[in-house]
Amino acid sequence: MAGLHSRRDTLSVGLGLGAALTLPQGLALARAPKATGQAPYYYRFPFGEAQVTVVSDGPLPLGDPGETFLGVSKEEIRGMLSRNFLDPASVTLEQNIPVVNFGDRLVLFDTGMGTSQAFGPTTGRLTKSLEEAGIRPADIDAICCSHAHIDHVGGIVGADGKPLFPNAEVWLAQSDFDFWTDEGKLGTPLKAFVEHARKNLLPVRDRIKFFRDQQEFLPGVQAIAAPGHTVGHTVFMIASGGKQFCFMGDLTHHQVLLLERPLMEFAYDSDPKQSAQTRVRLLTMLAEKQLPVMSYHFPWPGFGHVAKAGDGFRYFAEPMRMLG
C-alpha cells in the first residue's frame, strides 16, 4: 500500500511538471500593469462630538533646507535630516487643512496657495481635495486664518477673483490683515505676498471679522496669539465633547528641524527671534499638557503630539484610523 502511494505521488508530480512546461510562455510571464492613480487626499476622524476631515492643498517644495532654515550650519541641517531618513538636499512641506464639523457649523482652517504657483505646480489642490472628501464649498460657514501668508489665504477666491466659499465668514487677526494688505508694501521685497493677500482678502472684506488673543470667537474655537512668523500669527485651540487639540498653523514648519532645534530661525519669519521664542513657549505648554496638535506643514495628515526631548522637542504622529 505504501508503495502504491509513492507511485501515485511520483506520477502526480510528473504530470504537474509536464503541465507547467507546456504552459504558453505569455501566461508564465504575465504582470499586472502599474497603476497611475493615488488615494484621495483627505483623512477623516472623530474628535469629541465633532468630526475632523483633513484635506490637502498639495505638497509645497522648499528646496535646499540650508537656504530657509537659518542659524545652524548647512552641514548640521543635512545631518539632522539624514539621521531621520529624510532627503538632506531638499525639503518638501505638506499643507494640512482641517475642516471641523461641529454638528451645527462647518469650519475650515486656512486655505492653501490657491492660484499662485510660487512654490511650484503641486499646490492649489484644496478645491479638488474638498470634492474628494464630499465637502461642498457652499457648506463652509467660517474660515479661520492662522495668518495672511500666501499659502494660507490663497484659496479664498478663485482665478476670477470671486469667493470660492460663498457663505463663509472669514476670521483673521486685524494686525495681519492691516500688514499684508498694505498697498504701501507693493514696492518692497514683500510684493508677491502682499499682492496675493490683497487678491484674496479684499474681495471678501465685508465678511472679514477680527478675533482677539484668548477669545473664543466661535463656539469651540479659541484664538491664541503666536507672533513672530507674522505680526498677527495665531494658533487655534479646537474643543468638542471635553476634548481639545491645537491647530498650530506655522508655529513650526518642520517636524525635525524646528523641533530638535526650536531656536533655529526660518527665512519666512517676519521676526525670526520672536518666532523662535514663541515656538519654545507654546510647544512647552502643549508638551506639558499633552494636548494633541495638528501642524499645517508636518507630514500628512499632520496630527499627533509633541513631547520634550533634551533642549528641544519630538513629534509623535498619531496612527491613522482607516476603519470605523
Side-chain angles (χ1 to χ4, degrees):
M1 184 66 71
L4 179 60
H5 282 301
S6 176
R7 287 193 297 272
R8 286 176 178 171
D9 292 343
T10 302
L11 181 61
S12 297
V13 170
L15 289 173
L17 180 60
L21 290 174
T22 59
L23 283 174
Q25 187 176 9
L27 291 178
L29 299 178
R31 290 181 175 88
K34 292 181 180 178
T36 57
Q38 187 53 279
Y41 222 156
Y42 75 91
Y43 171 59
R44 184 170 286 135
F45 61 93
F47 192 82
E49 296 175 356
Q51 182 184 69
V52 179
T53 303
V54 189
V55 294
S56 176
D57 192 55
L60 190 155
L62 276 185
D64 181 0
E67 300 299 322
T68 48
F69 297 90
L70 310 174
V72 174
S73 71
K74 292 186 178 183
E75 291 73 20
E76 185 170 354
I77 289 174
R78 294 190 188 103
M80 293 169 68
L81 294 170
S82 295
R83 288 193 297 273
N84 286 274
F85 305 97
L86 297 171
D87 185 352
S90 182
V91 165
T92 296
L93 306 179
E94 275 289 352
Q95 295 183 96
N96 307 310
I97 299 173
V99 184
V100 183
N101 188 336
F102 287 95
D104 59 347
R105 63 199 179 285
L106 202 57
V107 183
L108 173 73
F109 293 83
D110 287 339
T111 66
M113 290 286 296
T115 58
S116 172
Q117 293 196 350
F119 292 94
T122 59
T123 64
R125 198 186 192 281
L126 175 60
T127 300
K128 184 176 181 180
S129 296
L130 287 170
E131 181 181 357
E132 291 172 345
I135 298 173
R136 299 189 309 167
D139 290 338
I140 299 293
D141 298 297
I143 301 170
C144 303
C145 301
S146 60
H147 60 299
H149 266 177
I150 195 168
D151 54 328
H152 294 259
V153 299
I156 294 177
V157 305
D160 58 1
K162 295 181 180 179
L164 292 173
F165 303 93
N167 299 311
E169 59 189 20
V170 178
W171 289 89
L172 181 69
Q174 183 167 2
S175 55
D176 241 44
F177 175 85
D178 293 343
F179 185 95
W180 293 105
T181 60
D182 180 3
E183 190 175 5
K185 293 185 176 67
L186 289 173
T188 73
L190 299 175
K191 177 183 177 182
F193 280 74
V194 174
E195 285 179 339
H196 208 55
R198 288 173 61 86
K199 173 193 171 186
N200 281 274
L201 294 175
L202 296 185
V204 295
R205 179 63 187 89
D206 61 332
R207 287 194 247 155
I208 292 179
K209 299 182 177 181
F210 301 121
F211 45 64
R212 301 184 308 275
D213 181 25
Q214 303 295 322
Q215 179 187 6
E216 185 179 5
F217 60 96
L218 293 171
V221 184
Q222 180 188 22
I224 298 178
H229 181 55
T230 65
V231 63
H233 181 259
T234 301
V235 303
F236 301 108
M237 300 302 299
I238 299 167
S240 175
K243 293 187 174 184
Q244 192 176 47
F245 77 89
C246 179
F247 176 63
M248 299 192 296
D250 280 5
L251 182 68
T252 169
H253 288 74
H254 198 272
Q255 74 278 10
V256 173
L257 299 178
L258 293 179
L259 287 186
E260 288 188 8
R261 297 291 296 270
L263 292 178
M264 190 187 300
E265 298 178 1
F266 186 65
Y268 291 99
D269 287 341
S270 295
D271 187 334
K273 296 192 183 306
Q274 183 187 36
S275 180
Q277 293 299 323
T278 296
R279 180 161 50 250
V280 171
R281 175 174 55 84
L282 289 180
L283 287 177
T284 298
M285 179 271 290
L286 293 167
E288 289 177 348
K289 293 187 177 182
Q290 298 185 335
L291 288 174
V293 300
M294 177 173 288
S295 173
Y296 188 75
H297 287 304
F298 280 10
W300 174 259
F303 192 80
H305 287 81
V306 291
K308 283 290 294 179
D311 294 331
F313 302 87
R314 183 179 173 187
Y315 173 63
F316 294 87
E318 180 84 7
M320 294 177 69
R321 293 172 284 176
M322 302 306 295
L323 297 177

